[in-house]
Coordinates of all heavy atoms in Angstrom, one line a residue:
M1 N -35.3 18.0 -76.0 CA -34.7 18.3 -74.6 C -33.7 17.1 -74.3 O -34.0 16.0 -74.6 CB -35.7 18.5 -73.6 CG -35.1 19.0 -72.2 SD -34.6 20.7 -72.3 CE -36.1 21.6 -72.3
I2 N -32.6 17.5 -73.8 CA -31.6 16.4 -73.3 C -31.3 16.7 -71.9 O -31.0 17.7 -71.4 CB -30.3 16.5 -74.2 CG1 -30.6 16.2 -75.7 CG2 -29.3 15.5 -73.6 CD1 -29.4 16.4 -76.6
Y3 N -31.5 15.5 -71.1 CA -31.2 15.5 -69.7 C -30.0 14.6 -69.5 O -29.9 13.5 -70.1 CB -32.4 15.2 -68.8 CG -33.4 16.2 -68.6 CD1 -34.4 16.4 -69.6 CD2 -33.4 17.1 -67.6 CE1 -35.3 17.4 -69.5 CE2 -34.3 18.1 -67.4 CZ -35.3 18.3 -68.4 OH -36.2 19.2 -68.3
I4 N -29.1 14.9 -68.7 CA -27.8 14.1 -68.4 C -27.8 13.8 -66.9 O -27.9 14.7 -66.1 CB -26.6 14.8 -68.9 CG1 -26.7 15.1 -70.4 CG2 -25.4 14.0 -68.6 CD1 -25.6 15.9 -71.0
T5 N -27.5 12.5 -66.6 CA -27.4 12.1 -65.2 C -26.4 11.0 -65.2 O -25.7 10.7 -66.2 CB -28.7 11.7 -64.6 OG1 -28.6 11.4 -63.2 CG2 -29.3 10.4 -65.2
G6 N -26.2 10.3 -64.1 CA -25.3 9.2 -64.0 C -25.5 8.4 -62.7 O -26.4 8.8 -61.9
D7 N -24.8 7.3 -62.7 CA -24.8 6.6 -61.4 C -26.2 6.1 -61.0 O -26.8 6.3 -59.9 CB -24.3 7.3 -60.2 CG -22.8 7.5 -60.4 OD1 -22.0 6.6 -60.4 OD2 -22.3 8.7 -60.7
I8 N -26.9 5.4 -62.0 CA -28.2 4.9 -61.7 C -28.1 3.6 -60.9 O -29.0 3.4 -60.0 CB -28.9 4.6 -63.1 CG1 -29.2 6.0 -63.8 CG2 -30.2 3.9 -62.9 CD1 -30.1 6.9 -63.1
H9 N -27.1 2.7 -61.1 CA -26.9 1.5 -60.4 C -28.2 0.7 -60.3 O -28.5 0.2 -59.2 CB -26.4 1.8 -59.0 CG -25.2 2.7 -59.0 ND1 -25.0 3.9 -58.5 CD2 -23.9 2.3 -59.4 CE1 -23.8 4.4 -58.6 NE2 -23.1 3.4 -59.2
R10 N -28.9 0.6 -61.4 CA -30.2 -0.3 -61.4 C -31.0 0.2 -60.2 O -31.3 1.3 -60.0 CB -29.8 -1.7 -61.4 CG -31.0 -2.6 -61.9 CD -30.5 -3.9 -62.5 NE -30.9 -5.0 -61.7 CZ -30.7 -6.3 -62.1 NH1 -30.2 -6.5 -63.3 NH2 -31.0 -7.2 -61.3
E11 N -31.6 -0.8 -59.4 CA -32.6 -0.4 -58.4 C -32.0 0.4 -57.2 O -32.9 1.0 -56.6 CB -33.3 -1.7 -57.9 CG -32.4 -2.6 -57.1 CD -31.8 -3.7 -58.0 OE1 -31.9 -3.5 -59.2 OE2 -31.2 -4.7 -57.5
Q12 N -30.8 0.5 -57.2 CA -30.2 1.3 -56.0 C -30.6 2.9 -56.2 O -30.9 3.5 -55.3 CB -28.7 1.2 -56.0 CG -28.3 -0.2 -55.4 CD -26.8 -0.3 -55.3 OE1 -26.0 0.7 -55.4 NE2 -26.3 -1.5 -55.0
D13 N -30.4 3.3 -57.4 CA -30.5 4.8 -57.7 C -31.4 5.1 -58.9 O -31.5 6.3 -59.3 CB -29.1 5.4 -57.9 CG -28.3 5.3 -56.6 OD1 -28.8 5.6 -55.5 OD2 -27.2 4.7 -56.8
I14 N -32.1 4.2 -59.4 CA -33.0 4.5 -60.6 C -34.1 5.3 -60.3 O -34.7 6.0 -61.1 CB -33.4 3.2 -61.3 CG1 -33.7 3.5 -62.8 CG2 -34.6 2.5 -60.5 CD1 -33.9 2.2 -63.6
H15 N -34.4 5.6 -59.0 CA -35.4 6.5 -58.6 C -35.2 7.9 -59.1 O -36.1 8.7 -59.3 CB -35.7 6.5 -57.1 CG -34.4 6.9 -56.3 ND1 -34.2 8.2 -56.0 CD2 -33.3 6.2 -55.9 CE1 -33.0 8.3 -55.4 NE2 -32.5 7.1 -55.3
K16 N -33.9 8.1 -59.4 CA -33.6 9.5 -59.9 C -34.2 9.9 -61.2 O -34.4 11.0 -61.5 CB -32.0 9.6 -60.1 CG -31.3 9.5 -58.7 CD -29.9 10.0 -58.8 CE -29.0 9.0 -59.5 NZ -27.6 9.3 -59.5
I17 N -34.5 8.8 -62.0 CA -35.2 9.1 -63.3 C -36.6 8.6 -63.3 O -37.3 8.5 -64.3 CB -34.4 8.6 -64.5 CG1 -34.3 7.0 -64.4 CG2 -33.1 9.2 -64.6 CD1 -33.8 6.5 -65.7
N18 N -37.2 8.2 -62.1 CA -38.6 7.8 -62.0 C -39.4 9.2 -62.1 O -39.0 10.1 -61.3 CB -38.8 7.2 -60.7 CG -40.2 6.6 -60.6 OD1 -41.2 7.3 -61.0 ND2 -40.4 5.4 -60.1
P19 N -40.3 9.3 -63.0 CA -41.0 10.5 -63.0 C -41.7 11.0 -61.8 O -42.1 12.1 -61.6 CB -42.2 10.2 -64.1 CG -41.5 9.2 -65.0 CD -40.8 8.3 -64.0
R20 N -41.9 10.1 -60.8 CA -42.4 10.6 -59.5 C -41.4 11.5 -58.8 O -41.9 12.4 -58.1 CB -42.7 9.4 -58.6 CG -44.0 8.7 -59.0 CD -44.2 7.5 -58.2 NE -43.3 6.4 -58.4 CZ -43.3 5.2 -57.8 NH1 -44.2 5.0 -56.9 NH2 -42.4 4.3 -58.0
E21 N -40.1 11.3 -59.0 CA -39.1 12.2 -58.5 C -38.5 13.2 -59.5 O -38.2 14.3 -59.2 CB -37.9 11.4 -57.9 CG -38.3 10.6 -56.7 CD -37.1 10.0 -55.9 OE1 -35.9 10.6 -56.1 OE2 -37.3 9.0 -55.4
F22 N -38.4 12.7 -60.8 CA -37.9 13.4 -61.8 C -39.0 14.2 -62.5 O -39.6 13.7 -63.5 CB -37.1 12.6 -62.8 CG -36.6 13.1 -64.1 CD1 -35.9 14.3 -64.1 CD2 -36.8 12.5 -65.3 CE1 -35.4 14.9 -65.3 CE2 -36.3 13.0 -66.5 CZ -35.6 14.2 -66.5
E23 N -39.5 15.3 -61.9 CA -40.7 15.9 -62.4 C -40.7 16.4 -63.8 O -41.8 16.3 -64.5 CB -41.0 17.1 -61.5 CG -41.4 16.7 -60.1 CD -41.9 17.9 -59.2 OE1 -42.3 18.9 -59.8 OE2 -41.9 17.7 -58.0
A24 N -39.6 16.7 -64.3 CA -39.4 17.1 -65.7 C -39.8 15.9 -66.6 O -40.4 16.2 -67.7 CB -38.0 17.6 -66.1
G25 N -39.6 14.7 -66.1 CA -39.9 13.5 -67.0 C -41.4 13.5 -67.3 O -41.7 12.8 -68.3
N26 N -42.2 14.1 -66.5 CA -43.6 14.1 -66.8 C -44.0 14.8 -68.1 O -45.1 14.7 -68.5 CB -44.4 14.5 -65.6 CG -44.3 13.6 -64.4 OD1 -44.6 12.4 -64.5 ND2 -43.9 14.1 -63.3
H27 N -43.0 15.7 -68.5 CA -43.3 16.5 -69.6 C -42.5 16.1 -70.8 O -42.6 16.8 -71.9 CB -43.1 18.0 -69.3 CG -43.8 18.4 -68.1 ND1 -45.2 18.5 -68.1 CD2 -43.4 18.6 -66.9 CE1 -45.6 18.9 -66.8 NE2 -44.5 18.9 -66.1
L28 N -41.7 15.0 -70.8 CA -40.9 14.6 -71.9 C -41.6 13.8 -72.8 O -42.7 13.2 -72.5 CB -39.6 13.9 -71.3 CG -38.8 14.7 -70.4 CD1 -37.4 13.8 -70.0 CD2 -38.3 15.9 -71.1
T29 N -41.1 13.7 -74.1 CA -41.8 13.0 -75.2 C -40.8 12.1 -75.9 O -39.6 12.1 -75.5 CB -42.3 14.0 -76.2 OG1 -41.2 14.5 -76.9 CG2 -43.1 15.2 -75.6
P30 N -41.3 11.3 -76.8 CA -40.2 10.5 -77.6 C -39.2 11.3 -78.3 O -38.3 10.7 -78.9 CB -41.1 9.7 -78.6 CG -42.5 9.7 -77.8 CD -42.6 10.9 -77.1
D31 N -39.4 12.6 -78.3 CA -38.3 13.4 -79.0 C -37.3 13.8 -78.0 O -36.3 14.5 -78.4 CB -38.9 14.7 -79.6 CG -39.8 14.3 -80.8 OD1 -39.6 13.4 -81.6 OD2 -40.8 15.1 -81.0
D32 N -37.3 13.4 -76.8 CA -36.4 13.8 -75.7 C -35.6 12.7 -75.3 O -35.9 11.5 -75.5 CB -37.2 14.3 -74.5 CG -38.0 15.5 -74.8 OD1 -37.6 16.5 -75.4 OD2 -39.3 15.5 -74.5
Y33 N -34.5 13.1 -74.7 CA -33.4 12.0 -74.3 C -33.0 12.2 -72.9 O -32.8 13.4 -72.4 CB -32.2 12.1 -75.2 CG -32.5 12.0 -76.7 CD1 -33.0 12.9 -77.5 CD2 -32.4 10.6 -77.2 CE1 -33.3 12.7 -78.8 CE2 -32.8 10.4 -78.5 CZ -33.2 11.5 -79.3 OH -33.5 11.2 -80.6
V34 N -32.8 11.1 -72.1 CA -32.1 11.1 -70.9 C -30.9 10.2 -71.0 O -30.9 9.0 -71.4 CB -33.0 10.5 -69.8 CG1 -32.2 10.4 -68.5 CG2 -34.2 11.5 -69.5
I35 N -29.7 10.8 -70.8 CA -28.5 10.1 -71.1 C -27.8 9.8 -69.7 O -27.6 10.7 -68.9 CB -27.4 11.0 -71.9 CG1 -28.1 11.3 -73.2 CG2 -26.1 10.2 -72.1 CD1 -27.3 12.3 -74.1
I36 N -27.5 8.6 -69.3 CA -26.9 8.1 -68.2 C -25.5 8.0 -68.4 O -25.0 7.1 -69.2 CB -27.5 6.9 -67.7 CG1 -29.0 7.1 -67.5 CG2 -26.9 6.4 -66.4 CD1 -29.9 5.8 -67.4
C37 N -24.7 8.9 -67.8 CA -23.2 8.9 -68.1 C -22.5 8.0 -67.0 O -21.9 8.6 -66.1 CB -22.8 10.3 -68.0 SG -23.3 11.3 -69.5
G38 N -22.6 6.8 -67.2 CA -21.8 5.9 -66.3 C -22.6 5.3 -65.2 O -23.5 5.8 -64.7
D39 N -22.2 4.0 -64.9 CA -22.8 3.2 -63.9 C -24.4 3.2 -64.1 O -25.2 3.4 -63.2 CB -22.5 3.8 -62.6 CG -21.0 3.6 -62.3 OD1 -20.3 3.1 -63.1 OD2 -20.5 4.1 -61.2
F40 N -24.7 2.6 -65.3 CA -26.1 2.4 -65.7 C -26.6 1.2 -64.8 O -27.7 1.4 -64.1 CB -26.1 2.1 -67.2 CG -27.5 1.7 -67.7 CD1 -28.5 2.5 -67.5 CD2 -27.6 0.5 -68.5 CE1 -29.8 2.1 -68.1 CE2 -28.8 0.1 -69.0 CZ -29.8 0.9 -68.9
G41 N -26.0 0.1 -64.9 CA -26.3 -1.0 -64.0 C -27.5 -1.8 -64.4 O -27.8 -2.8 -63.8
C42 N -28.3 -1.4 -65.4 CA -29.4 -2.2 -65.8 C -29.2 -3.3 -66.8 O -30.1 -4.0 -67.1 CB -30.6 -1.2 -66.4 SG -31.2 0.0 -65.2
I43 N -28.0 -3.4 -67.2 CA -27.6 -4.7 -67.9 C -26.5 -5.3 -67.0 O -25.3 -4.9 -67.0 CB -27.0 -4.4 -69.3 CG1 -28.0 -3.8 -70.1 CG2 -26.4 -5.6 -69.9 CD1 -27.6 -3.3 -71.5
W44 N -27.0 -6.2 -66.1 CA -26.1 -6.7 -65.1 C -26.1 -8.1 -64.9 O -25.0 -8.7 -64.9 CB -26.6 -6.1 -63.7 CG -25.7 -6.4 -62.6 CD1 -25.9 -7.3 -61.6 CD2 -24.4 -5.8 -62.3 NE1 -24.8 -7.3 -60.8 CE2 -23.9 -6.4 -61.2 CE3 -23.8 -4.8 -63.0 CZ2 -22.7 -6.0 -60.7 CZ3 -22.5 -4.4 -62.5 CH2 -22.0 -5.0 -61.3
D45 N -27.2 -8.8 -65.0 CA -27.3 -10.3 -64.7 C -27.6 -11.0 -65.9 O -27.6 -12.3 -65.9 CB -28.2 -10.7 -63.5 CG -29.6 -10.3 -63.8 OD1 -30.0 -9.9 -64.9 OD2 -30.4 -10.3 -62.8
G46 N -28.0 -10.4 -67.0 CA -28.4 -11.1 -68.2 C -29.7 -11.9 -68.1 O -30.0 -12.6 -69.0
G47 N -30.4 -11.6 -67.1 CA -31.6 -12.3 -66.8 C -32.9 -11.5 -66.5 O -33.0 -10.4 -67.2
S48 N -33.8 -12.0 -65.8 CA -35.0 -11.3 -65.6 C -34.9 -10.0 -64.9 O -35.7 -9.1 -65.1 CB -35.9 -12.2 -64.6 OG -35.3 -12.5 -63.4
G49 N -33.9 -9.8 -64.1 CA -33.7 -8.4 -63.5 C -33.4 -7.4 -64.6 O -33.9 -6.3 -64.5
D50 N -32.5 -7.7 -65.5 CA -32.3 -6.9 -66.6 C -33.5 -6.6 -67.4 O -33.9 -5.5 -67.8 CB -31.2 -7.5 -67.5 CG -29.8 -7.4 -67.0 OD1 -29.7 -7.1 -65.8 OD2 -28.9 -8.0 -67.6
R51 N -34.3 -7.7 -67.8 CA -35.5 -7.5 -68.5 C -36.5 -6.5 -67.8 O -37.0 -5.7 -68.5 CB -36.2 -8.9 -68.9 CG -35.5 -9.6 -70.0 CD -36.3 -10.8 -70.5 NE -36.5 -11.7 -69.4 CZ -35.7 -12.7 -69.0 NH1 -34.5 -12.7 -69.6 NH2 -35.9 -13.5 -68.1
F52 N -36.6 -6.8 -66.6 CA -37.6 -5.9 -65.8 C -37.2 -4.4 -66.0 O -38.0 -3.6 -66.3 CB -37.6 -6.3 -64.3 CG -38.4 -5.3 -63.5 CD1 -39.8 -5.5 -63.4 CD2 -37.8 -4.2 -62.8 CE1 -40.6 -4.6 -62.7 CE2 -38.6 -3.3 -62.2 CZ -40.0 -3.6 -62.0
W53 N -36.0 -4.1 -65.7 CA -35.5 -2.7 -65.8 C -35.5 -2.1 -67.2 O -35.9 -1.0 -67.4 CB -34.2 -2.5 -65.0 CG -34.4 -2.7 -63.6 CD1 -34.0 -3.6 -62.8 CD2 -35.2 -1.8 -62.8 NE1 -34.4 -3.5 -61.5 CE2 -35.1 -2.3 -61.4 CE3 -35.9 -0.6 -62.9 CZ2 -35.8 -1.7 -60.4 CZ3 -36.6 0.0 -61.9 CH2 -36.5 -0.6 -60.6
L54 N -35.1 -3.0 -68.2 CA -35.1 -2.5 -69.6 C -36.5 -2.2 -70.0 O -36.8 -1.3 -70.8 CB -34.3 -3.4 -70.4 CG -32.8 -3.5 -70.1 CD1 -32.2 -4.6 -71.0 CD2 -32.1 -2.2 -70.3
N55 N -37.4 -3.1 -69.6 CA -38.9 -2.9 -70.0 C -39.4 -1.7 -69.3 O -40.1 -0.8 -70.0 CB -39.7 -4.1 -69.7 CG -39.4 -5.3 -70.5 OD1 -39.0 -5.1 -71.7 ND2 -39.8 -6.5 -70.1
W56 N -39.0 -1.5 -68.1 CA -39.5 -0.2 -67.4 C -39.0 1.0 -68.1 O -39.7 1.9 -68.4 CB -39.0 -0.3 -65.9 CG -39.5 0.9 -65.1 CD1 -40.8 1.1 -64.6 CD2 -38.8 2.1 -64.8 NE1 -40.9 2.3 -64.1 CE2 -39.6 3.0 -64.1 CE3 -37.4 2.6 -65.0 CZ2 -39.3 4.2 -63.7 CZ3 -37.1 3.8 -64.6 CH2 -38.0 4.6 -63.9
L57 N -37.7 0.9 -68.5 CA -37.2 2.2 -69.2 C -37.9 2.4 -70.5 O -38.1 3.5 -70.9 CB -35.7 1.9 -69.4 CG -34.7 2.1 -68.1 CD1 -33.4 1.5 -68.4 CD2 -34.7 3.5 -67.7
E58 N -38.2 1.2 -71.2 CA -38.9 1.3 -72.5 C -40.3 1.9 -72.3 O -40.8 2.5 -73.3 CB -39.0 -0.1 -73.1 CG -39.3 -0.2 -74.5 CD -38.4 0.5 -75.5 OE1 -37.1 0.5 -75.2 OE2 -38.8 1.0 -76.5
S59 N -40.8 1.7 -71.1 CA -42.2 2.2 -70.9 C -42.2 3.8 -70.7 O -43.3 4.4 -70.8 CB -42.8 1.5 -69.7 OG -42.3 2.1 -68.6
L60 N -41.1 4.3 -70.5 CA -41.0 5.8 -70.2 C -41.2 6.5 -71.5 O -40.8 6.0 -72.6 CB -39.7 6.2 -69.6 CG -39.5 5.5 -68.2 CD1 -38.1 5.7 -67.7 CD2 -40.6 6.0 -67.2
P61 N -41.7 7.7 -71.5 CA -42.0 8.4 -72.8 C -40.8 8.9 -73.5 O -40.9 9.2 -74.8 CB -42.9 9.6 -72.3 CG -42.6 9.8 -70.9 CD -42.2 8.5 -70.4
W62 N -39.7 9.0 -72.9 CA -38.5 9.5 -73.6 C -37.5 8.4 -74.0 O -37.8 7.3 -73.6 CB -37.7 10.4 -72.6 CG -37.2 9.8 -71.4 CD1 -36.1 9.0 -71.2 CD2 -37.8 9.9 -70.0 NE1 -36.0 8.6 -69.9 CE2 -37.0 9.1 -69.2 CE3 -39.0 10.5 -69.6 CZ2 -37.3 9.0 -67.9 CZ3 -39.2 10.4 -68.2 CH2 -38.4 9.6 -67.4
N63 N -36.4 8.7 -74.7 CA -35.4 7.8 -75.0 C -34.3 7.8 -73.9 O -33.9 8.9 -73.5 CB -34.7 8.1 -76.4 CG -35.7 8.2 -77.5 OD1 -36.1 7.1 -78.0 ND2 -36.1 9.4 -77.9
T64 N -34.0 6.7 -73.5 CA -32.9 6.6 -72.5 C -31.6 6.0 -73.1 O -31.7 4.9 -73.8 CB -33.3 5.6 -71.2 OG1 -34.6 6.1 -70.7 CG2 -32.2 5.6 -70.2
L65 N -30.5 6.7 -73.0 CA -29.3 6.3 -73.5 C -28.3 6.2 -72.4 O -28.5 6.8 -71.3 CB -28.7 7.3 -74.5 CG -29.8 7.7 -75.7 CD1 -29.1 8.8 -76.4 CD2 -30.0 6.6 -76.6
F66 N -27.2 5.4 -72.6 CA -26.2 5.3 -71.5 C -24.9 5.1 -72.1 O -24.7 4.6 -73.2 CB -26.5 4.3 -70.5 CG -26.3 2.9 -70.9 CD1 -25.0 2.2 -70.5 CD2 -27.1 2.1 -71.6 CE1 -24.7 1.0 -70.9 CE2 -26.9 0.8 -72.0 CZ -25.7 0.2 -71.7
V67 N -23.9 5.5 -71.3 CA -22.5 5.3 -71.6 C -22.1 4.5 -70.4 O -22.4 4.8 -69.3 CB -21.7 6.7 -71.6 CG1 -20.2 6.4 -71.8 CG2 -22.3 7.6 -72.6
D68 N -21.2 3.4 -70.8 CA -20.8 2.5 -69.7 C -19.9 3.2 -68.7 O -19.1 4.2 -69.1 CB -20.3 1.2 -70.2 CG -19.1 1.4 -71.2 OD1 -18.7 2.5 -71.3 OD2 -18.7 0.4 -71.7
G69 N -19.9 2.7 -67.5 CA -19.0 3.3 -66.5 C -18.2 2.1 -65.8 O -18.3 1.0 -66.3
N70 N -17.6 2.4 -64.7 CA -16.7 1.4 -64.1 C -17.6 0.4 -63.3 O -17.1 -0.7 -63.0 CB -15.7 2.0 -63.2 CG -16.3 2.8 -62.0 OD1 -17.3 3.5 -62.2 ND2 -15.7 2.6 -60.8
H71 N -18.8 0.7 -63.0 CA -19.7 -0.2 -62.4 C -20.7 -0.8 -63.3 O -21.9 -0.6 -63.2 CB -20.4 0.4 -61.2 CG -19.5 0.9 -60.0 ND1 -19.5 2.1 -59.5 CD2 -18.5 0.1 -59.4 CE1 -18.6 2.2 -58.6 NE2 -18.0 1.0 -58.5
E72 N -20.2 -1.6 -64.3 CA -21.1 -2.3 -65.2 C -20.6 -3.7 -65.2 O -19.4 -4.0 -64.8 CB -21.0 -1.7 -66.6 CG -21.0 -0.3 -66.8 CD -22.4 0.3 -66.5 OE1 -23.4 -0.4 -66.3 OE2 -22.5 1.6 -66.6
N73 N -21.5 -4.7 -65.7 CA -21.0 -6.0 -65.9 C -20.6 -6.1 -67.3 O -21.5 -6.4 -68.2 CB -22.1 -7.0 -65.5 CG -21.7 -8.5 -65.6 OD1 -20.7 -8.7 -66.3 ND2 -22.4 -9.4 -64.9
F74 N -19.4 -5.9 -67.6 CA -18.9 -5.9 -69.0 C -19.1 -7.3 -69.7 O -19.3 -7.4 -70.9 CB -17.4 -5.3 -69.0 CG -17.4 -3.9 -68.8 CD1 -17.0 -3.5 -67.4 CD2 -17.7 -2.9 -69.6 CE1 -17.0 -2.2 -67.1 CE2 -17.7 -1.6 -69.3 CZ -17.3 -1.3 -68.0
D75 N -19.0 -8.4 -69.0 CA -19.1 -9.7 -69.5 C -20.6 -9.7 -70.2 O -20.7 -10.3 -71.3 CB -19.0 -10.8 -68.5 CG -17.5 -10.9 -68.2 OD1 -16.6 -10.5 -68.9 OD2 -17.2 -11.4 -67.0
V76 N -21.6 -9.3 -69.5 CA -22.9 -9.3 -70.0 C -23.1 -8.2 -71.1 O -23.7 -8.5 -72.1 CB -24.0 -9.1 -68.9 CG1 -25.4 -9.0 -69.5 CG2 -23.8 -10.3 -67.9
L77 N -22.5 -7.1 -70.8 CA -22.7 -6.0 -71.8 C -22.1 -6.3 -73.2 O -22.7 -6.0 -74.2 CB -22.1 -4.7 -71.2 CG -22.3 -3.4 -71.8 CD1 -23.8 -3.1 -71.9 CD2 -21.5 -2.3 -71.1
K78 N -21.1 -7.0 -73.2 CA -20.4 -7.5 -74.5 C -21.2 -8.5 -75.2 O -20.9 -8.7 -76.4 CB -19.0 -7.9 -74.1 CG -18.0 -6.9 -73.8 CD -16.7 -7.5 -73.4 CE -15.7 -6.4 -72.9 NZ -14.4 -7.0 -72.3
T79 N -22.2 -9.1 -74.6 CA -23.0 -10.0 -75.4 C -24.1 -9.3 -76.2 O -24.8 -10.0 -77.0 CB -23.8 -11.0 -74.4 OG1 -24.7 -10.3 -73.6 CG2 -22.8 -11.7 -73.5
Y80 N -24.3 -8.0 -76.0 CA -25.3 -7.3 -76.8 C -24.7 -6.9 -78.1 O -23.5 -6.6 -78.2 CB -25.7 -6.0 -76.0 CG -26.8 -6.3 -74.9 CD1 -26.5 -7.1 -73.8 CD2 -28.1 -5.8 -75.1 CE1 -27.5 -7.4 -72.9 CE2 -29.0 -6.1 -74.2 CZ -28.7 -6.8 -73.1 OH -29.7 -7.1 -72.1
P81 N -25.5 -6.9 -79.1 CA -25.1 -6.5 -80.4 C -24.8 -5.0 -80.6 O -25.4 -4.2 -79.8 CB -26.2 -6.9 -81.4 CG -27.4 -6.8 -80.5 CD -26.9 -7.2 -79.1
V82 N -23.9 -4.7 -81.4 CA -23.6 -3.3 -81.7 C -24.5 -3.0 -82.9 O -24.5 -3.7 -83.9 CB -22.1 -3.1 -82.1 CG1 -21.9 -1.6 -82.6 CG2 -21.2 -3.4 -80.9
V83 N -25.3 -1.9 -82.8 CA -26.2 -1.4 -83.8 C -26.1 0.0 -84.1 O -25.7 0.8 -83.2 CB -27.7 -1.8 -83.4 CG1 -27.8 -3.3 -83.3 CG2 -28.1 -1.1 -82.2
D84 N -26.4 0.4 -85.4 CA -26.5 1.8 -85.6 C -27.8 2.4 -84.9 O -28.8 1.7 -84.8 CB -26.7 2.1 -87.1 CG -25.3 1.7 -87.8 OD1 -24.3 1.8 -87.2 OD2 -25.4 1.5 -89.0
Y85 N -27.7 3.6 -84.4 CA -28.8 4.3 -83.8 C -28.8 5.7 -84.3 O -27.9 6.5 -84.2 CB -28.7 4.3 -82.3 CG -29.8 5.0 -81.6 CD1 -31.1 4.4 -81.6 CD2 -29.6 6.2 -80.9 CE1 -32.1 5.0 -80.9 CE2 -30.7 6.8 -80.3 CZ -31.9 6.3 -80.3 OH -32.9 6.9 -79.6
K86 N -29.9 6.0 -85.0 CA -30.1 7.4 -85.6 C -28.9 7.8 -86.4 O -28.3 8.9 -86.3 CB -30.3 8.4 -84.5 CG -31.6 7.9 -83.6 CD -32.5 9.1 -83.4 CE -33.7 8.5 -82.6 NZ -34.8 9.4 -82.7
G87 N -28.3 6.9 -87.1 CA -27.1 7.2 -88.0 C -25.8 7.2 -87.4 O -24.8 7.5 -88.1
G88 N -25.7 6.8 -86.1 CA -24.4 6.8 -85.5 C -24.1 5.5 -84.8 O -24.8 4.6 -84.9
Ligands
FE2_1 FE1 -21.2 4.8 -59.5

C-alpha cells in the first residue's frame, strides 16, 4: 500500500502520520510506504531535533519517503549522501 501526504513540517504537522491520528497506519507493514510530497522538515537543524524525528519515523512499521519542498533546510539536506534505494 502507498499513502501520499505532504507538509509535515516536522513537529508542526507530523501528527498527520502519527498512528494515533493516521488510523490506517496501525495496519501498515514494512512492505508499505508513506510518501511525503514536500515540506518534510525533519532534516532541518542537523542536530538532535533531526535525530529525534528520524528515529521516530524509523520506529514506525512502514517505510517513510519524502520529496523535498520549498520549506526544507537545503544546506543541511545537501550534507546527506546520495544512495541507491531499492534499485533507484
Ligand atoms: Fe508547506
Side-chain angles (χ1 to χ4, degrees):
M1 187 73 70
I2 298 173
Y3 285 83
I4 298 174
T5 186
D7 295 293
I8 294 300
H9 303 117
R10 200 154 110 171
E11 63 269 14
Q12 289 183 10
D13 296 310
I14 204 165
H15 61 90
K16 293 192 288 190
I17 61 168
N18 186 320
R20 286 182 287 182
E21 290 188 31
F22 174 46
E23 289 186 22
N26 292 305
H27 307 289
L28 298 185
T29 73
D31 292 328
D32 299 312
Y33 299 86
V34 172
I35 303 173
I36 300 163
C37 293
D39 295 358
F40 174 57
C42 292
I43 297 175
W44 186 257
D45 61 12
S48 60
D50 290 0
R51 279 192 301 279
F52 174 83
W53 288 110
L54 294 175
N55 287 339
W56 183 77
L57 289 165
E58 193 66 33
S59 76
L60 298 171
W62 62 79
N63 297 284
T64 303
L65 310 173
F66 76 95
V67 177
D68 56 6
N70 62 318
H71 292 131
E72 313 289 355
N73 185 335
F74 291 99
D75 290 334
V76 175
L77 195 54
K78 288 176 185 172
T79 67
Y80 278 67
V82 175
V83 297
D84 288 340
Y85 179 71
K86 304 225 178 204

